[in-house]
Amino acid sequence: MTAPIYLWGISATALALLAVLAILWHWNVRLKKEVDARKRFEEIIEQYREVVHTSLDGFMITDISGAVLDVNASACRILGYSRAELLALRAADIEAKKSAEETALHMREMMEQGYSQFETVHRRKDGSTIQVEVSILHLPRLDDRFFGFFRDVTARKEVESQLRIAAIAFEAQEGMMVTDANAVILQVNQAFTHITGYASADAVGHTPRLLRSDRHDDDFYAGLWGSLKLSGRWQGEIWNRRKDGEPYPQWLTITVVKDRAGLVSHYVATMTDITQRKLAESEINALAFYDPLTGLPNRRLMLDRLRQALTGSDRSRRHGALMMMDLDNFKILNDTQGHDVGDQLLMEVSRRLQAGVREGDTVARLGGDEFVVILVGLDKAGFAAMQAEAVGVKIQALINEPYELTVSSHEGKCIHHCSVSIGITLFQDQHTSTEELMKRADTAMYKAKSAGRNTLRFFDPEMQAAVSSRAALESQLRSAIHHQQFVVYYQPQVDGARQVVGVEALIRWVHPDRGVVLPGEFIPLAEDTSLILPLGDWILEAACQQLKTWALQPETAQLSIAVNVSARQFRQTDFVKRVLGLMDRWGTPAGRLKLELTESMLLDNTTEIIAKMRTLKSRGISFSLDDFGTGYSSLSYLKLLPIDQLKIDQSFVHDVLNDPNAATIACSIIALAHSLGLMVIAEGVETPEQSDFLARNGCDHCQGYLFGKPLPLSEFEAQLRLYSEQR
Ligand code: C2E
Ligand code: CA
Ligand code: CA
């Protein structure tokens, strides 16, 4: 707005002044001849000259050839010449934009029109140029003179062009928002509207809260304002919400604008929508960490996961396993059928590998036909190698399944068979480096390759030995079940009067080469391989049968048999049916069969467990809680479960005389059982002193070598006879 007013201003005043001066000049000329009146008029002229000379604008009179006849002080100042110098020049000399001919032409036009206002460039004495605004009047009546005012507008032009640049910049690609000191939006640009969906009218008058998404908490915004206060600037990634509700990421820069007094006057925010960049970033990320063919983590990400797994295992004290795999004869397929077919196989293999592991485990592709699997959360000790081996075996089976591959040259499908060599190494702490582990797994993998492919090898020789002997044991166990190489041993349980009230049935494996094998050696494996189910059935049946036989003889009619039941066995949905079926088949008398359970197996699915126990109890079966004191021993579930007896674990009994803690625990168990109306039995009683201590403290029953070792049926019965004869 200022420019037109200004132009109007200079043109109006200048024209008026020029008219007056022209007239005065005319008068002056005439007065020259009239000597008398001259003095008076000269005074008036002097006054006006004074006005002209004190004007801030430059003033100049020329003749029609452009020769300078008069100038004021401002003209000298603006152009950098002395008055005398200027009076020696012509208009064309100071004109920098037009040539002498153009200047002459312009002057002729002005003579026709009578006046002209224009902008041009003048050259100062020092050679520099200035932008000027000129207003010229031609008065033919006054000796054909030009009267001109000019003004230096260089600075104003500069500001104008800067404003123009700023206006263009404001409408640039970046979204912009200007707020006042209270963060009320004053102005937004087109790009802002484009990004946010809010038109200027929607946004102006609101605060930027309008754009807030719920992705940041109050702390985030507090941090933003804090940094603005402190440094006058905030820059970062922020999630905002568009008008249509869609959240989006943007790169935001907020700058504080302060006035001369140093007080905040405005905030200027520039923003770029970085949705696309984020997408690109995630694509780059995918390229950097994932194998493009299979989408599996690549070596880099795998090493990272391995490091995490090491830290995790160190913390949890659980083992992890690193499995290195290499497909057998992949190169042949690739070379004969082409890479396209090879790729199909690799993709299918990667799908199968992923299907073969649990969620927290990692499957990665190192390149070519090399894959890596990282298993985490394996057993704390002992069984980790077996668990890893089980996964390896499962993976081998999955890989061995036939593949249907599309072969373009045959225009059809071909069936392909594949196998894999697996090298395994276990880890449990952070002391082994990832490089070392990779080396070990690789070594094991080459052992597997050279052992004839489709095989699996451990790096650690002991682990390999354990796994191999376990494999041998498993096959022997299967054949032992088939050939019925098991016998039941019976160990007496006595009451306070040392009267035998029952027995615990303990299984023994009579191995054709090794002789009697104790359950500690094969029960865990049987539990791991489900072989515990036929074994468990077998011993239950033996007990049911024996109880029926004993019921027919007065010296054994009162005896009960306690049978150990494994978690796996008890969890079978038809467990109750099986037990009751066996009792019916053998005519087992009610109230003589006792099942020994352990605490840990009663923890999950409590409702279902209680239901099972109730049904069995209703048929006269009782329950004893084995190894009591070593597990959770939670009072709340003890009250819930229909238990009849607690069995104090032998570790406490063993130490009851020399470890006050063990004695306290044993006594507490007895008190606890009695307070719940349960019976207590102590196992592993070996000395009369232990027996006395327990009896003194109210323990109901005892079991242990002191009263009899586990014996085969005939020996047990013989001992029982001897025992009763002695009494
Ligand atoms: P458990 O149920 O705690 O059995 C008690 C173990 O302590 C038995 O070992 C028994 O022979 C032993 N023992 C008894 N008295 C004494 C003693 O005075 N001193 C010492 N040091 N030991 C004594 P066993 O027969 O080797 O059985 C070991 C474990 O195998 C059993 O522990 C039980 O958990 C399991 N087991 C045995 N038979 C079966 C079965 O038929 N089914 C299932 N599921 N597990 C069984
Ligand atoms: Ca037991
Ligand atoms: Ca026990």
Side-chain angles (χ1 to χ4, degrees), residues 114-141:
Y115 73 95
S116 178
Q117 282 177 354
F118 56 94
E119 285 178 11
T120 188
V121 180
H122 282 174
R123 190 177 314 282
R124 303 179 77 241
K125 186 186 173 187
D126 64 7
S128 63
T129 56
I130 49 170
Q131 306 230 34
V132 286
E133 216 169 66
V134 186
S135 184
I136 290 181
L137 190 67
H138 173 241
L139 292 176
R141 284 177 295 143

PDB file of all heavy atoms in Angstrom, residues 114-141:
ATOM      1  N   GLY A 114       4.067  16.991 -21.980  1.00  0.00           N
ATOM      2  CA  GLY A 114       4.104  18.053 -20.979  1.00  0.00           C
ATOM      3  C   GLY A 114       4.704  17.570 -19.647  1.00  0.00           C
ATOM      4  O   GLY A 114       5.307  18.350 -18.932  1.00  0.00           O
ATOM      5  N   TYR A 115       4.553  16.328 -19.325  1.00  0.00           N
ATOM      6  CA  TYR A 115       5.172  15.845 -18.085  1.00  0.00           C
ATOM      7  C   TYR A 115       5.374  14.339 -18.178  1.00  0.00           C
ATOM      8  O   TYR A 115       4.785  13.691 -19.047  1.00  0.00           O
ATOM      9  CB  TYR A 115       4.317  16.175 -16.862  1.00  0.00           C
ATOM     10  CG  TYR A 115       3.082  15.337 -16.765  1.00  0.00           C
ATOM     11  CD1 TYR A 115       3.059  14.172 -16.006  1.00  0.00           C
ATOM     12  CD2 TYR A 115       1.928  15.713 -17.467  1.00  0.00           C
ATOM     13  CE1 TYR A 115       1.938  13.389 -15.951  1.00  0.00           C
ATOM     14  CE2 TYR A 115       0.801  14.937 -17.422  1.00  0.00           C
ATOM     15  CZ  TYR A 115       0.800  13.773 -16.657  1.00  0.00           C
ATOM     16  OH  TYR A 115      -0.307  12.991 -16.611  1.00  0.00           O
ATOM     17  N   SER A 116       6.142  13.802 -17.244  1.00  0.00           N
ATOM     18  CA  SER A 116       6.335  12.350 -17.204  1.00  0.00           C
ATOM     19  C   SER A 116       6.806  11.906 -15.824  1.00  0.00           C
ATOM     20  O   SER A 116       7.531  12.642 -15.144  1.00  0.00           O
ATOM     21  CB  SER A 116       7.378  11.937 -18.257  1.00  0.00           C
ATOM     22  OG  SER A 116       7.598  10.555 -18.184  1.00  0.00           O
ATOM     23  N   GLN A 117       6.328  10.746 -15.425  1.00  0.00           N
ATOM     24  CA  GLN A 117       6.806  10.145 -14.171  1.00  0.00           C
ATOM     25  C   GLN A 117       7.326   8.764 -14.522  1.00  0.00           C
ATOM     26  O   GLN A 117       6.621   8.007 -15.183  1.00  0.00           O
ATOM     27  CB  GLN A 117       5.666  10.004 -13.183  1.00  0.00           C
ATOM     28  CG  GLN A 117       5.325  11.306 -12.521  1.00  0.00           C
ATOM     29  CD  GLN A 117       4.132  11.162 -11.599  1.00  0.00           C
ATOM     30  OE1 GLN A 117       3.501  10.123 -11.536  1.00  0.00           O
ATOM     31  NE2 GLN A 117       3.810  12.243 -10.914  1.00  0.00           N
ATOM     32  N   PHE A 118       8.504   8.492 -14.097  1.00  0.00           N
ATOM     33  CA  PHE A 118       9.066   7.187 -14.451  1.00  0.00           C
ATOM     34  C   PHE A 118      10.143   6.786 -13.460  1.00  0.00           C
ATOM     35  O   PHE A 118      10.585   7.587 -12.632  1.00  0.00           O
ATOM     36  CB  PHE A 118       9.632   7.212 -15.872  1.00  0.00           C
ATOM     37  CG  PHE A 118      10.670   8.283 -16.099  1.00  0.00           C
ATOM     38  CD1 PHE A 118      12.018   7.990 -15.965  1.00  0.00           C
ATOM     39  CD2 PHE A 118      10.291   9.589 -16.413  1.00  0.00           C
ATOM     40  CE1 PHE A 118      12.964   8.980 -16.146  1.00  0.00           C
ATOM     41  CE2 PHE A 118      11.253  10.575 -16.595  1.00  0.00           C
ATOM     42  CZ  PHE A 118      12.587  10.279 -16.465  1.00  0.00           C
ATOM     43  N   GLU A 119      10.524   5.524 -13.557  1.00  0.00           N
ATOM     44  CA  GLU A 119      11.625   5.035 -12.715  1.00  0.00           C
ATOM     45  C   GLU A 119      12.795   4.759 -13.626  1.00  0.00           C
ATOM     46  O   GLU A 119      12.619   4.261 -14.742  1.00  0.00           O
ATOM     47  CB  GLU A 119      11.235   3.723 -12.017  1.00  0.00           C
ATOM     48  CG  GLU A 119      10.279   3.937 -10.875  1.00  0.00           C
ATOM     49  CD  GLU A 119       9.843   2.636 -10.213  1.00  0.00           C
ATOM     50  OE1 GLU A 119      10.441   1.582 -10.514  1.00  0.00           O
ATOM     51  OE2 GLU A 119       8.911   2.690  -9.411  1.00  0.00           O
ATOM     52  N   THR A 120      13.964   5.075 -13.168  1.00  0.00           N
ATOM     53  CA  THR A 120      15.137   4.769 -13.960  1.00  0.00           C
ATOM     54  C   THR A 120      16.342   4.599 -13.045  1.00  0.00           C
ATOM     55  O   THR A 120      16.186   4.564 -11.812  1.00  0.00           O
ATOM     56  CB  THR A 120      15.384   5.858 -15.031  1.00  0.00           C
ATOM     57  OG1 THR A 120      16.429   5.431 -15.893  1.00  0.00           O
ATOM     58  CG2 THR A 120      15.743   7.192 -14.388  1.00  0.00           C
ATOM     59  N   VAL A 121      17.504   4.474 -13.657  1.00  0.00           N
ATOM     60  CA  VAL A 121      18.721   4.272 -12.852  1.00  0.00           C
ATOM     61  C   VAL A 121      19.677   5.425 -13.152  1.00  0.00           C
ATOM     62  O   VAL A 121      19.893   5.772 -14.310  1.00  0.00           O
ATOM     63  CB  VAL A 121      19.383   2.936 -13.211  1.00  0.00           C
ATOM     64  CG1 VAL A 121      20.648   2.727 -12.387  1.00  0.00           C
ATOM     65  CG2 VAL A 121      18.413   1.778 -13.012  1.00  0.00           C
ATOM     66  N   HIS A 122      20.206   6.024 -12.122  1.00  0.00           N
ATOM     67  CA  HIS A 122      21.191   7.097 -12.292  1.00  0.00           C
ATOM     68  C   HIS A 122      22.566   6.620 -11.887  1.00  0.00           C
ATOM     69  O   HIS A 122      22.689   5.784 -11.008  1.00  0.00           O
ATOM     70  CB  HIS A 122      20.802   8.319 -11.458  1.00  0.00           C
ATOM     71  CG  HIS A 122      19.706   9.133 -12.095  1.00  0.00           C
ATOM     72  ND1 HIS A 122      19.114  10.221 -11.464  1.00  0.00           N
ATOM     73  CD2 HIS A 122      19.083   8.998 -13.292  1.00  0.00           C
ATOM     74  CE1 HIS A 122      18.193  10.725 -12.274  1.00  0.00           C
ATOM     75  NE2 HIS A 122      18.140   9.993 -13.378  1.00  0.00           N
ATOM     76  N   ARG A 123      23.544   7.229 -12.592  1.00  0.00           N
ATOM     77  CA  ARG A 123      24.908   6.889 -12.208  1.00  0.00           C
ATOM     78  C   ARG A 123      25.487   8.021 -11.397  1.00  0.00           C
ATOM     79  O   ARG A 123      25.417   9.178 -11.801  1.00  0.00           O
ATOM     80  CB  ARG A 123      25.779   6.636 -13.426  1.00  0.00           C
ATOM     81  CG  ARG A 123      27.145   6.037 -13.069  1.00  0.00           C
ATOM     82  CD  ARG A 123      27.988   5.717 -14.277  1.00  0.00           C
ATOM     83  NE  ARG A 123      27.258   5.019 -15.325  1.00  0.00           N
ATOM     84  CZ  ARG A 123      26.964   3.730 -15.285  1.00  0.00           C
ATOM     85  NH1 ARG A 123      27.334   2.986 -14.279  1.00  0.00           N
ATOM     86  NH2 ARG A 123      26.278   3.180 -16.290  1.00  0.00           N
ATOM     87  N   ARG A 124      26.048   7.647 -10.238  1.00  0.00           N
ATOM     88  CA  ARG A 124      26.640   8.676  -9.376  1.00  0.00           C
ATOM     89  C   ARG A 124      28.050   8.977  -9.859  1.00  0.00           C
ATOM     90  O   ARG A 124      28.587   8.278 -10.715  1.00  0.00           O
ATOM     91  CB  ARG A 124      26.654   8.193  -7.920  1.00  0.00           C
ATOM     92  CG  ARG A 124      25.256   7.823  -7.420  1.00  0.00           C
ATOM     93  CD  ARG A 124      25.272   7.323  -6.003  1.00  0.00           C
ATOM     94  NE  ARG A 124      25.419   8.403  -5.034  1.00  0.00           N
ATOM     95  CZ  ARG A 124      26.444   8.506  -4.184  1.00  0.00           C
ATOM     96  NH1 ARG A 124      27.387   7.581  -4.196  1.00  0.00           N
ATOM     97  NH2 ARG A 124      26.526   9.516  -3.354  1.00  0.00           N
ATOM     98  N   LYS A 125      28.617   9.974  -9.273  1.00  0.00           N
ATOM     99  CA  LYS A 125      29.966  10.377  -9.702  1.00  0.00           C
ATOM    100  C   LYS A 125      30.962   9.225  -9.493  1.00  0.00           C
ATOM    101  O   LYS A 125      31.859   9.002 -10.307  1.00  0.00           O
ATOM    102  CB  LYS A 125      30.417  11.598  -8.890  1.00  0.00           C
ATOM    103  CG  LYS A 125      31.740  12.165  -9.357  1.00  0.00           C
ATOM    104  CD  LYS A 125      32.218  13.279  -8.431  1.00  0.00           C
ATOM    105  CE  LYS A 125      33.630  13.714  -8.808  1.00  0.00           C
ATOM    106  NZ  LYS A 125      34.162  14.672  -7.818  1.00  0.00           N
ATOM    107  N   ASP A 126      30.773   8.475  -8.364  1.00  0.00           N
ATOM    108  CA  ASP A 126      31.729   7.384  -8.086  1.00  0.00           C
ATOM    109  C   ASP A 126      31.459   6.146  -8.942  1.00  0.00           C
ATOM    110  O   ASP A 126      32.074   5.103  -8.751  1.00  0.00           O
ATOM    111  CB  ASP A 126      31.687   7.033  -6.587  1.00  0.00           C
ATOM    112  CG  ASP A 126      30.336   6.488  -6.162  1.00  0.00           C
ATOM    113  OD1 ASP A 126      29.465   6.249  -7.036  1.00  0.00           O
ATOM    114  OD2 ASP A 126      30.137   6.285  -4.944  1.00  0.00           O
ATOM    115  N   GLY A 127      30.534   6.247  -9.863  1.00  0.00           N
ATOM    116  CA  GLY A 127      30.276   5.114 -10.763  1.00  0.00           C
ATOM    117  C   GLY A 127      29.170   4.194 -10.285  1.00  0.00           C
ATOM    118  O   GLY A 127      28.650   3.396 -11.064  1.00  0.00           O
ATOM    119  N   SER A 128      28.833   4.261  -8.998  1.00  0.00           N
ATOM    120  CA  SER A 128      27.774   3.392  -8.498  1.00  0.00           C
ATOM    121  C   SER A 128      26.435   3.862  -9.058  1.00  0.00           C
ATOM    122  O   SER A 128      26.290   5.004  -9.478  1.00  0.00           O
ATOM    123  CB  SER A 128      27.749   3.427  -6.968  1.00  0.00           C
ATOM    124  OG  SER A 128      27.447   4.729  -6.532  1.00  0.00           O
ATOM    125  N   THR A 129      25.481   2.933  -9.067  1.00  0.00           N
ATOM    126  CA  THR A 129      24.169   3.308  -9.608  1.00  0.00           C
ATOM    127  C   THR A 129      23.142   3.302  -8.501  1.00  0.00           C
ATOM    128  O   THR A 129      23.285   2.600  -7.502  1.00  0.00           O
ATOM    129  CB  THR A 129      23.723   2.331 -10.707  1.00  0.00           C
ATOM    130  OG1 THR A 129      23.734   1.018 -10.151  1.00  0.00           O
ATOM    131  CG2 THR A 129      24.605   2.409 -11.924  1.00  0.00           C
ATOM    132  N   ILE A 130      22.115   4.111  -8.714  1.00  0.00           N
ATOM    133  CA  ILE A 130      21.006   4.150  -7.751  1.00  0.00           C
ATOM    134  C   ILE A 130      19.705   4.090  -8.528  1.00  0.00           C
ATOM    135  O   ILE A 130      19.624   4.534  -9.683  1.00  0.00           O
ATOM    136  CB  ILE A 130      21.040   5.443  -6.897  1.00  0.00           C
ATOM    137  CG1 ILE A 130      21.200   6.664  -7.814  1.00  0.00           C
ATOM    138  CG2 ILE A 130      22.126   5.407  -5.865  1.00  0.00           C
ATOM    139  CD1 ILE A 130      20.998   7.979  -7.083  1.00  0.00           C
ATOM    140  N   GLN A 131      18.721   3.499  -7.868  1.00  0.00           N
ATOM    141  CA  GLN A 131      17.390   3.461  -8.484  1.00  0.00           C
ATOM    142  C   GLN A 131      16.705   4.775  -8.115  1.00  0.00           C
ATOM    143  O   GLN A 131      16.728   5.177  -6.964  1.00  0.00           O
ATOM    144  CB  GLN A 131      16.584   2.328  -7.894  1.00  0.00           C
ATOM    145  CG  GLN A 131      17.307   1.020  -7.998  1.00  0.00           C
ATOM    146  CD  GLN A 131      16.412  -0.049  -8.600  1.00  0.00           C
ATOM    147  OE1 GLN A 131      15.589   0.276  -9.469  1.00  0.00           O
ATOM    148  NE2 GLN A 131      16.587  -1.263  -8.165  1.00  0.00           N
ATOM    149  N   VAL A 132      16.103   5.397  -9.114  1.00  0.00           N
ATOM    150  CA  VAL A 132      15.446   6.681  -8.825  1.00  0.00           C
ATOM    151  C   VAL A 132      14.038   6.686  -9.379  1.00  0.00           C
ATOM    152  O   VAL A 132      13.712   5.976 -10.332  1.00  0.00           O
ATOM    153  CB  VAL A 132      16.224   7.877  -9.418  1.00  0.00           C
ATOM    154  CG1 VAL A 132      17.474   8.161  -8.629  1.00  0.00           C
ATOM    155  CG2 VAL A 132      16.527   7.638 -10.884  1.00  0.00           C
ATOM    156  N   GLU A 133      13.236   7.499  -8.733  1.00  0.00           N
ATOM    157  CA  GLU A 133      11.884   7.745  -9.180  1.00  0.00           C
ATOM    158  C   GLU A 133      11.896   9.203  -9.644  1.00  0.00           C
ATOM    159  O   GLU A 133      12.358  10.087  -8.905  1.00  0.00           O
ATOM    160  CB  GLU A 133      10.973   7.610  -7.974  1.00  0.00           C
ATOM    161  CG  GLU A 133       9.646   7.010  -8.249  1.00  0.00           C
ATOM    162  CD  GLU A 133       9.001   6.701  -6.907  1.00  0.00           C
ATOM    163  OE1 GLU A 133       8.697   7.661  -6.175  1.00  0.00           O
ATOM    164  OE2 GLU A 133       8.841   5.517  -6.605  1.00  0.00           O
ATOM    165  N   VAL A 134      11.453   9.469 -10.856  1.00  0.00           N
ATOM    166  CA  VAL A 134      11.616  10.817 -11.425  1.00  0.00           C
ATOM    167  C   VAL A 134      10.256  11.397 -11.812  1.00  0.00           C
ATOM    168  O   VAL A 134       9.375  10.671 -12.280  1.00  0.00           O
ATOM    169  CB  VAL A 134      12.511  10.768 -12.683  1.00  0.00           C
ATOM    170  CG1 VAL A 134      12.798  12.173 -13.202  1.00  0.00           C
ATOM    171  CG2 VAL A 134      13.802  10.037 -12.389  1.00  0.00           C
ATOM    172  N   SER A 135      10.112  12.695 -11.574  1.00  0.00           N
ATOM    173  CA  SER A 135       8.892  13.385 -11.992  1.00  0.00           C
ATOM    174  C   SER A 135       9.333  14.656 -12.743  1.00  0.00           C
ATOM    175  O   SER A 135      10.039  15.485 -12.171  1.00  0.00           O
ATOM    176  CB  SER A 135       8.093  13.733 -10.733  1.00  0.00           C
ATOM    177  OG  SER A 135       6.889  14.316 -11.106  1.00  0.00           O
ATOM    178  N   ILE A 136       8.942  14.771 -14.043  1.00  0.00           N
ATOM    179  CA  ILE A 136       9.472  15.888 -14.851  1.00  0.00           C
ATOM    180  C   ILE A 136       8.319  16.669 -15.514  1.00  0.00           C
ATOM    181  O   ILE A 136       7.337  16.073 -15.978  1.00  0.00           O
ATOM    182  CB  ILE A 136      10.437  15.356 -15.921  1.00  0.00           C
ATOM    183  CG1 ILE A 136      11.719  14.853 -15.244  1.00  0.00           C
ATOM    184  CG2 ILE A 136      10.775  16.454 -16.948  1.00  0.00           C
ATOM    185  CD1 ILE A 136      12.753  14.321 -16.177  1.00  0.00           C
ATOM    186  N   LEU A 137       8.469  17.955 -15.508  1.00  0.00           N
ATOM    187  CA  LEU A 137       7.475  18.835 -16.129  1.00  0.00           C
ATOM    188  C   LEU A 137       8.178  19.639 -17.226  1.00  0.00           C
ATOM    189  O   LEU A 137       9.289  20.140 -17.019  1.00  0.00           O
ATOM    190  CB  LEU A 137       6.921  19.782 -15.052  1.00  0.00           C
ATOM    191  CG  LEU A 137       5.712  20.639 -15.402  1.00  0.00           C
ATOM    192  CD1 LEU A 137       4.485  19.742 -15.599  1.00  0.00           C
ATOM    193  CD2 LEU A 137       5.450  21.630 -14.267  1.00  0.00           C
ATOM    194  N   HIS A 138       7.555  19.706 -18.375  1.00  0.00           N
ATOM    195  CA  HIS A 138       8.159  20.523 -19.461  1.00  0.00           C
ATOM    196  C   HIS A 138       7.303  21.772 -19.669  1.00  0.00           C
ATOM    197  O   HIS A 138       6.083  21.671 -19.840  1.00  0.00           O
ATOM    198  CB  HIS A 138       8.213  19.702 -20.754  1.00  0.00           C
ATOM    199  CG  HIS A 138       8.660  20.533 -21.921  1.00  0.00           C
ATOM    200  ND1 HIS A 138       7.869  20.736 -23.037  1.00  0.00           N
ATOM    201  CD2 HIS A 138       9.815  21.238 -22.143  1.00  0.00           C
ATOM    202  CE1 HIS A 138       8.494  21.525 -23.900  1.00  0.00           C
ATOM    203  NE2 HIS A 138       9.697  21.847 -23.368  1.00  0.00           N
ATOM    204  N   LEU A 139       7.923  22.888 -19.568  1.00  0.00           N
ATOM    205  CA  LEU A 139       7.157  24.133 -19.747  1.00  0.00           C
ATOM    206  C   LEU A 139       7.717  24.901 -20.943  1.00  0.00           C
ATOM    207  O   LEU A 139       8.737  25.592 -20.824  1.00  0.00           O
ATOM    208  CB  LEU A 139       7.223  24.985 -18.482  1.00  0.00           C
ATOM    209  CG  LEU A 139       6.494  24.393 -17.267  1.00  0.00           C
ATOM    210  CD1 LEU A 139       6.683  25.255 -16.040  1.00  0.00           C
ATOM    211  CD2 LEU A 139       5.006  24.221 -17.547  1.00  0.00           C
ATOM    212  N   PRO A 140       7.086  24.782 -22.118  1.00  0.00           N
ATOM    213  CA  PRO A 140       7.597  25.439 -23.321  1.00  0.00           C
ATOM    214  C   PRO A 140       7.560  26.968 -23.180  1.00  0.00           C
ATOM    215  O   PRO A 140       8.441  27.664 -23.693  1.00  0.00           O
ATOM    216  CB  PRO A 140       6.645  24.973 -24.420  1.00  0.00           C
ATOM    217  CG  PRO A 140       5.558  24.200 -23.769  1.00  0.00           C
ATOM    218  CD  PRO A 140       5.856  24.045 -22.350  1.00  0.00           C
ATOM    219  N   ARG A 141       6.558  27.433 -22.388  1.00  0.00           N
ATOM    220  CA  ARG A 141       6.426  28.874 -22.265  1.00  0.00           C
ATOM    221  C   ARG A 141       7.614  29.468 -21.530  1.00  0.00           C
ATOM    222  O   ARG A 141       7.968  30.607 -21.701  1.00  0.00           O
ATOM    223  CB  ARG A 141       5.140  29.215 -21.499  1.00  0.00           C
ATOM    224  CG  ARG A 141       3.880  29.042 -22.371  1.00  0.00           C
ATOM    225  CD  ARG A 141       2.655  29.324 -21.541  1.00  0.00           C
ATOM    226  NE  ARG A 141       2.504  28.333 -20.486  1.00  0.00           N
ATOM    227  CZ  ARG A 141       2.057  28.617 -19.269  1.00  0.00           C
ATOM    228  NH1 ARG A 141       1.781  29.851 -18.932  1.00  0.00           N
ATOM    229  NH2 ARG A 141       1.914  27.656 -18.398  1.00  0.00           N
TER     230      ARG A 141
END
